[in-house]
mmCIF file of all heavy atoms in Angstrom:
data_model
loop_
_atom_site.group_PDB
_atom_site.id
_atom_site.type_symbol
_atom_site.label_atom_id
_atom_site.label_comp_id
_atom_site.label_asym_id
_atom_site.label_seq_id
_atom_site.Cartn_x
_atom_site.Cartn_y
_atom_site.Cartn_z
ATOM 1 N N PHE O 172 39.876 30.821 265.468
ATOM 2 C CA PHE O 172 39.853 30.622 266.922
ATOM 3 C C PHE O 172 38.752 29.634 267.291
ATOM 4 O O PHE O 172 37.851 29.351 266.495
ATOM 5 C CB PHE O 172 39.657 31.957 267.664
ATOM 6 C CG PHE O 172 38.356 32.653 267.369
ATOM 7 C CD1 PHE O 172 37.237 32.488 268.181
ATOM 8 C CD2 PHE O 172 38.243 33.504 266.262
ATOM 9 C CE1 PHE O 172 36.043 33.141 267.900
ATOM 10 C CE2 PHE O 172 37.055 34.154 265.984
ATOM 11 C CZ PHE O 172 35.950 33.978 266.797
ATOM 12 N N TRP O 173 38.845 29.108 268.499
ATOM 13 C CA TRP O 173 37.833 28.213 269.064
ATOM 14 C C TRP O 173 37.036 28.976 270.106
ATOM 15 O O TRP O 173 37.606 29.700 270.917
ATOM 16 C CB TRP O 173 38.476 27.004 269.742
ATOM 17 C CG TRP O 173 39.075 26.002 268.802
ATOM 18 C CD1 TRP O 173 40.288 26.092 268.177
ATOM 19 C CD2 TRP O 173 38.508 24.767 268.385
ATOM 20 N NE1 TRP O 173 40.515 24.993 267.403
ATOM 21 C CE2 TRP O 173 39.433 24.146 267.520
ATOM 22 C CE3 TRP O 173 37.309 24.115 268.658
ATOM 23 C CZ2 TRP O 173 39.193 22.914 266.918
ATOM 24 C CZ3 TRP O 173 37.070 22.883 268.069
ATOM 25 C CH2 TRP O 173 38.000 22.287 267.213
ATOM 26 N N MET O 174 35.695 28.808 270.063
ATOM 27 C CA MET O 174 34.838 29.418 271.066
ATOM 28 C C MET O 174 33.802 28.396 271.510
ATOM 29 O O MET O 174 33.049 27.864 270.680
ATOM 30 C CB MET O 174 34.143 30.672 270.528
ATOM 31 C CG MET O 174 33.374 31.439 271.610
ATOM 32 S SD MET O 174 32.445 32.840 270.949
ATOM 33 C CE MET O 174 31.115 31.965 270.109
ATOM 34 N N ALA O 175 33.784 28.090 272.805
ATOM 35 C CA ALA O 175 32.857 27.100 273.370
ATOM 36 C C ALA O 175 32.945 25.776 272.625
ATOM 37 O O ALA O 175 31.940 25.093 272.417
ATOM 38 C CB ALA O 175 31.437 27.631 273.374
ATOM 39 N N GLY O 176 34.167 25.400 272.207
ATOM 40 C CA GLY O 176 34.378 24.132 271.534
ATOM 41 C C GLY O 176 34.050 24.141 270.057
ATOM 42 O O GLY O 176 34.088 23.086 269.417
ATOM 43 N N THR O 177 33.740 25.299 269.474
ATOM 44 C CA THR O 177 33.431 25.420 268.046
ATOM 45 C C THR O 177 34.536 26.207 267.351
ATOM 46 O O THR O 177 34.941 27.274 267.817
ATOM 47 C CB THR O 177 32.091 26.134 267.831
ATOM 48 O OG1 THR O 177 31.056 25.377 268.478
ATOM 49 C CG2 THR O 177 31.769 26.265 266.348
ATOM 50 N N LYS O 178 35.016 25.668 266.228
ATOM 51 C CA LYS O 178 36.100 26.321 265.495
ATOM 52 C C LYS O 178 35.516 27.342 264.523
ATOM 53 O O LYS O 178 34.632 27.011 263.716
ATOM 54 C CB LYS O 178 36.925 25.277 264.751
ATOM 55 C CG LYS O 178 38.290 25.777 264.293
ATOM 56 C CD LYS O 178 39.109 24.632 263.715
ATOM 57 C CE LYS O 178 40.527 25.086 263.399
ATOM 58 N NZ LYS O 178 41.349 23.970 262.845
ATOM 59 N N ILE O 179 36.019 28.568 264.598
ATOM 60 C CA ILE O 179 35.472 29.676 263.812
ATOM 61 C C ILE O 179 36.580 30.279 262.957
ATOM 62 O O ILE O 179 37.684 30.561 263.451
ATOM 63 C CB ILE O 179 34.868 30.752 264.736
ATOM 64 C CG1 ILE O 179 33.729 30.138 265.570
ATOM 65 C CG2 ILE O 179 34.373 31.941 263.916
ATOM 66 C CD1 ILE O 179 33.186 31.060 266.621
ATOM 67 N N ARG O 180 36.266 30.502 261.696
ATOM 68 C CA ARG O 180 37.188 31.176 260.760
ATOM 69 C C ARG O 180 36.650 32.564 260.475
ATOM 70 O O ARG O 180 35.504 32.732 260.056
ATOM 71 C CB ARG O 180 37.283 30.377 259.461
ATOM 72 C CG ARG O 180 38.025 31.052 258.316
ATOM 73 C CD ARG O 180 39.501 31.192 258.624
ATOM 74 N NE ARG O 180 40.293 31.428 257.430
ATOM 75 C CZ ARG O 180 40.473 32.603 256.848
ATOM 76 N NH1 ARG O 180 39.883 33.684 257.349
ATOM 77 N NH2 ARG O 180 41.231 32.715 255.784
ATOM 78 N N ILE O 181 37.454 33.609 260.779
ATOM 79 C CA ILE O 181 37.037 34.993 260.507
ATOM 80 C C ILE O 181 36.995 35.175 258.997
ATOM 81 O O ILE O 181 38.010 35.062 258.302
ATOM 82 C CB ILE O 181 38.003 35.990 261.160
ATOM 83 C CG1 ILE O 181 38.048 35.719 262.674
ATOM 84 C CG2 ILE O 181 37.572 37.429 260.883
ATOM 85 C CD1 ILE O 181 39.039 36.590 263.418
ATOM 86 N N ALA O 182 35.787 35.451 258.477
ATOM 87 C CA ALA O 182 35.547 35.319 257.036
ATOM 88 C C ALA O 182 36.075 36.473 256.196
ATOM 89 O O ALA O 182 36.296 36.289 254.991
ATOM 90 C CB ALA O 182 34.043 35.160 256.790
ATOM 91 N N ASP O 183 36.285 37.659 256.759
ATOM 92 C CA ASP O 183 36.609 38.811 255.913
ATOM 93 C C ASP O 183 38.091 39.145 255.876
ATOM 94 O O ASP O 183 38.472 40.172 255.288
ATOM 95 C CB ASP O 183 35.806 40.034 256.369
ATOM 96 C CG ASP O 183 36.093 40.426 257.808
ATOM 97 O OD1 ASP O 183 36.631 39.566 258.565
ATOM 98 O OD2 ASP O 183 35.790 41.568 258.199
ATOM 99 N N ILE O 184 38.976 38.322 256.470
ATOM 100 C CA ILE O 184 40.413 38.610 256.440
ATOM 101 C C ILE O 184 41.201 37.326 256.221
ATOM 102 O O ILE O 184 40.688 36.211 256.355
ATOM 103 C CB ILE O 184 40.901 39.275 257.740
ATOM 104 C CG1 ILE O 184 40.641 38.333 258.948
ATOM 105 C CG2 ILE O 184 40.270 40.635 257.940
ATOM 106 C CD1 ILE O 184 41.278 38.817 260.243
ATOM 107 N N ASP O 185 42.475 37.530 255.862
ATOM 108 C CA ASP O 185 43.423 36.435 255.783
ATOM 109 C C ASP O 185 44.694 36.898 256.501
ATOM 110 O O ASP O 185 45.203 37.998 256.234
ATOM 111 C CB ASP O 185 43.737 36.104 254.314
ATOM 112 C CG ASP O 185 44.807 35.036 254.201
ATOM 113 O OD1 ASP O 185 44.686 34.003 254.895
ATOM 114 O OD2 ASP O 185 45.775 35.240 253.441
#
Side-chain angles (χ1 to χ4, degrees):
F172 62 95
W173 288 80
M174 187 185 73
T177 300
K178 197 173 186 179
I179 300 173
R180 171 68 162 83
I181 302 176
D183 60 341
I184 61 171
D185 176 48

